[in-house]
Amino acid sequence: MSDRQKLYEGKAKIIYPTDDPEVLLAYYKDDATAFNAQKRGTIKGKGEINCTLSAHLFRLLESKGIPTHYIDTPAPDQMRVKRVQIVPVEVIVRNIAAGSLCKQTGIPTGTVLEPTLVEFCYKNDELGDPLLTRDRLLLMKLATPEQLEAIETFSRQIDAILTEFFGECGITLVDFKLEFGITTDGQLVLADEISPDTCRLWDQSETDPNRRVMDKDRFRHDLGNVENAYEQVLARVVARLG
Ligand code: TMP
């Protein structure tokens, strides 16, 4: 896979075309970034872990009726996906207050959010992925009202499925980010990845606010043992979905 063939390179994945115009190959990188790429590093083995984990979770969601871009994994760090046009909206689903929500509102970390908060950000690195209102999203025509409604419905269904599943793994799903895409035949599907890069995951057997963190917050805030945490999430998921 040479540079020339790349269709697109993001912070965590490279997308390659395949012989089938409807199918793309996503290569998951070990590169890690945070705070809009102001912090950069490498998490050894992350590419394989996030690809494998995402594959398990996409299959779980598909089995529960959620359409996704997932096809298969020809290698541990490579995923074949349906070609989609990404909706330039990052959907943030929050069950428990953490991260930017706490910074921006003063709500204490760990506050249970009822009902679950679904937020939208504009997927635009130059602008720093700003929080959107529903009206701004529609004004900017980032999605149609029908697409937005479907995105919110799917996001809440995905939250219910993943919260239950991670709970069975002894992990609390605090919050996560989703991206959706439109296939060439117009279907809205879940895209991107679901991994410790894109979720906050707390170990239910730990009460210490640093020790419980099993996600990219370990990298963002220099908590150490980043690789171990990612491996532990994968091990628990594989033990259940194998
Ligand atoms: P936040 O609290 O920083 O807004 O993050 C909310 C969730 O979204 C958290 O699980 C991390 C995830 N996330 C991403 O996947 N990509 C991003 O660029 C950001 C800012 C957050």
Side-chain angles (χ1 to χ4, degrees):
M1 289 187 288
S2 76
D3 273 8
R4 258 183 329 124
Q5 288 174 288
K6 279 179 203 172
L7 200 62
Y8 170 80
E9 179 158 5
K11 288 181 291 226
K13 293 185 286 301
I14 306 174
I15 306 295
Y16 295 93
T18 70
D19 293 340
D20 182 341
E22 297 303 319
V23 176
L24 302 177
L25 186 73
Y27 165 73
Y28 283 64
K29 301 193 280 188
D30 285 355
D31 300 354
T33 63
F35 313 116
N36 204 12
Q38 289 176 65
K39 181 181 172 90
R40 289 176 181 275
T42 302
I43 301 174
K44 205 166 148 280
K46 177 171 87 75
E48 288 195 12
I49 291 173
N50 283 2
C51 181
T52 308
L53 206 42
S54 290
H56 280 295
L57 297 174
F58 282 138
R59 285 195 294 263
L60 171 71
L61 292 170
E62 288 272 357
S63 77
K64 309 268 184 188
I66 306 289
T68 79
H69 71 159
Y70 172 78
I71 300 173
D72 59 15
T73 47
D77 56 0
Q78 293 170 29
M79 185 181 290
R80 293 196 319 135
V81 297
K82 292 177 195 160
R83 178 188 286 269
V84 296
Q85 176 112 39
I86 291 287
V87 177
V89 171
E90 298 194 351
V91 183
I92 311 288
V93 182
R94 300 182 187 271
N95 295 306
I96 294 177
S100 69
L101 176 71
C102 299
K103 269 208 198 87
Q104 292 166 8
T105 64
I107 297 172
T109 300
T111 306
V112 175
L113 304 172
E114 274 172 356
T116 293
L117 187 59
V118 177
E119 303 185 302
F120 306 104
C121 295
Y122 182 24
K123 184 175 160 66
N124 184 318
D125 282 341
E126 271 173 39
L127 298 177
D129 297 343
L131 188 63
L132 288 170
T133 63
R134 193 171 289 265
D135 284 351
R136 283 190 189 185
L137 190 161
L138 295 174
L139 176 82
M140 294 165 73
K141 298 197 184 333
L142 302 181
T144 65
E146 295 74 27
Q147 285 168 344
L148 186 58
E149 198 181 322
I151 284 172
E152 180 164 356
T153 302
F154 280 144
S155 297
R156 290 187 185 277
Q157 290 170 346
I158 292 164
D159 179 48
I161 296 164
L162 294 183
T163 294
E164 183 184 358
F165 173 71
F166 276 118
E168 290 165 3
C169 300
I171 294 172
T172 298
L173 179 60
V174 174
D175 60 28
F176 56 100
K177 188 258 307 185
L178 299 174
E179 293 182 28
F180 290 85
I182 315 283
T183 61
T184 42
D185 55 5
Q187 195 196 7
L188 181 76
V189 298
L190 178 64
D192 195 48
E193 66 179 90
I194 307 174
S195 72
D197 272 16
T198 62
C199 301
R200 281 198 175 89
L201 303 166
W202 290 352
D203 187 346
Q204 292 176 352
S205 67
E206 296 281 358
T207 47
D208 180 89
N210 287 347
R211 288 172 66 101
R212 70 185 173 191
V213 174
M214 304 182 82
D215 57 71
K216 199 162 89 174
D217 272 350
R218 299 208 75 80
F219 168 78
R220 291 189 188 99
H221 304 299
D222 298 316
L223 301 180
N225 287 321
V226 187
E227 285 86 359
N228 285 353
Y230 278 59
E231 281 164 14
Q232 187 56 227
V233 173
L234 178 63
R236 292 199 203 176
V237 167
V238 168
R240 292 205 75 83
L241 292 177

